[in-house]
Amino acid sequence: MIEKHLAKLRARDEVSAEEEQVLRALVSEVREIPAKTTFIRAGQRLTTSTLLLEGLMCRYKDLSDGQRQISELHVAGDFVDLHSFTLKRLDHNLMALSACKIAVVPHERLLALSHEHPHLTRLYWFTTNMDAAVHREWELSLGRRSAIARIAHLLAEMHVRLGLVGLTHGLEFRLPLTQVDLAECVGLTPVHVNRTLKLLREEGTVDMQRGRVRILDLARLHAIAEFNPQYLYLESEPR
């Protein structure tokens, strides 16, 4: 049930068979969330955290006029709100962009883990630090990258993150985002996103249609984005 989560962790550190059983025992139940459902809202008091098993989720915040900014995408294997364990409430919303399956992890079980399994505690601390690194990279995109570089960087990042959990087929992967969703990720209008995707396709860099991405020239995509995966901390070492 949590194989993709284990794959994500084991890409960065060793997880023993005993520790694997501890992680499996964290889950209290499995739920399904329909697409386009906001299932946690900012300020809501939380006693559980959410591990994404299948689908695509996002963190987002809205302005009073309805404008939305997506601040991170989550793929299968991600703890989408592990930080709620210590915060107890979120300052942002969580939404299922596609139909999703989640594992519910009670905070009381995370508390027991923090007392009894220091290595796993450090590993989860590492994952929240890595979340912050992703946020900083997105901030750089929003503040300084050009429109084409913003989109190229996001697609390059998702190719790596989905590949870690076995959800790519070479240079192709499923990314069920509408152009409105993508616009809300990169801080552009849907019209601008449409034009930029058309340019990437015409230049032979990437083709994104109907929720599927096909990278045509990986080196060019990385060059446009100035993509350096160092912020994803892909090396495996003791945490």
Side-chain angles (χ1 to χ4, degrees), residues 201-235:
R201 183 171 63 253
E202 290 175 345
E203 290 185 345
T205 304
V206 65
D207 185 19
M208 181 176 181
Q209 297 188 59
R210 295 183 292 279
R212 294 204 68 85
V213 177
R214 184 163 60 101
I215 298 173
L216 307 173
D217 189 332
L218 183 62
R220 179 169 174 75
L221 182 70
H222 285 186
I224 292 171
E226 295 188 49
F227 180 71
N228 182 342
Q230 190 173 29
Y231 71 100
L232 296 174
Y233 293 88
L234 300 172
E235 62 275 6

Side-chain angles (χ1 to χ4, degrees), residues 5 11 62 66 70 74 78 102 105 113 122 142 150 159 164 166 174 178 182 188 196 206 233:
H5 180 58
D62 287 336
I70 293 175
H74 287 290
D78 288 355
I102 64 170
V105 176
L113 179 143
R122 292 194 304 273
L142 291 170
R150 292 183 199 185
H159 178 243
L164 277 178
R174 185 170 179 268
T178 67
L182 188 53
L188 302 170
T196 305
V206 65
Y233 293 88

Side-chain angles (χ1 to χ4, degrees), residues 158-173:
M158 297 310 292
H159 178 243
V160 173
R161 291 174 59 194
L162 289 166
L164 277 178
V165 292
L167 292 175
T168 58
H169 301 280
L171 296 179
E172 297 186 23
F173 55 95

